[in-house]
Amino acid sequence: MKKADSIRLAGIVRESIVDGPGIRFTIFCQGCPHACEGCHNPETHDFAGGSDCHIDRLLEEINKNPLLAGVTFSGGEPFCQPEAFLQLGRMIKEKGLNITVFSGYTLEQLNDMGVQRPAVKELLDITDILIDGPYVKEERDLTLQFRGSRNQRVIDMNETRKSGEVAIWKG
């Protein structure tokens, strides 16, 4: 098992307005099992690619920008490294920032995974917005906010936890 204090990283974007609401620090992790046809980030698929980055170093970079509304975990597939993203996510939440996570898994699949791997459930528990589902080339729609295909959902996880039913983010 990979150490929970570092993330296999493909790259970062220090200020993004397309990866969730407000100005965001976006972390692109390395490694993805989905290999969606037409993926926007195919260079992130190889689990052996990228480089390890200690989560304290990422937090240092996040702390440099007082204008951030939140942090986005993207990929690759963040839920392939849930322990490290959970540790980083907890520190981000302590700073009062929100967390958006992109995943090729659906919320339902992640909930099932969380039974066997507690860090998956715990990462979901601190996620504010989840963009879920694989990219489907045939469902591509460039007019959608924060996602590339119509099958993907932008889920308000706070409302979902309150209501017990999937709540679509209203913006």
Side-chain angles (χ1 to χ4, degrees):
M1 182 188 293
K2 189 170 167 354
K3 289 178 14 179
D5 62 356
S6 68
I7 291 172
R8 191 76 179 166
L9 198 62
I12 60 171
V13 174
R14 286 177 170 78
E15 291 187 353
S16 171
I17 58 168
V18 297
D19 296 316
I23 299 172
R24 312 196 65 74
F25 188 98
T26 302
I27 299 169
F28 293 94
C29 68
Q30 185 70 38
C32 183
H34 308 296
C36 301
E37 183 183 354
C39 175
H40 185 67
N41 299 322
E43 67 281 358
T44 67
H45 293 180
D46 183 2
F47 283 91
S51 60
D52 286 329
C53 183
H54 198 280
I55 60 175
D56 289 342
R57 174 89 172 101
L58 290 167
L59 193 61
E60 274 178 37
E61 293 301 310
I62 292 164
N63 287 337
K64 289 180 181 179
N65 190 343
L67 301 177
L68 293 177
V71 178
T72 296
F73 301 156
S74 191
E77 175 57 64
F79 284 96
C80 288
Q81 302 182 58
E83 293 82 7
F85 275 108
L86 173 61
Q87 293 308 314
L88 179 59
R90 286 176 175 154
M91 291 186 268
I92 290 166
K93 294 300 268 189
E94 285 176 11
K95 304 219 161 280
L97 298 173
N98 64 59
I99 297 174
T100 295
V101 182
F102 281 81
S103 178
Y105 294 110
T106 64
L107 175 58
E108 293 79 9
Q109 290 170 318
L110 291 168
N111 282 331
D112 289 345
M113 289 169 59
V115 172
Q116 298 297 317
R117 198 164 180 188
V120 170
K121 180 193 178 315
E122 292 175 45
L123 181 54
L124 282 173
D125 287 346
I126 63 168
T127 297
D128 296 289
I129 296 173
L130 175 69
I131 292 101
D132 81 335
Y135 172 77
V136 177
K137 187 176 174 182
E138 296 76 26
E139 298 275 334
R140 181 178 183 201
D141 185 342
L142 297 177
T143 68
L144 299 172
Q145 189 176 32
F146 309 139
R147 61 199 193 279
S149 59
R150 288 183 297 277
N151 63 295
Q152 296 170 311
R153 302 176 292 185
V154 180
I155 300 172
D156 181 333
M157 291 298 293
N158 296 315
E159 188 57 40
T160 295
R161 284 188 287 274
K162 283 181 201 166
S163 70
E165 296 182 14
V166 174
I168 301 303
W169 183 71
K170 305 267 191 269

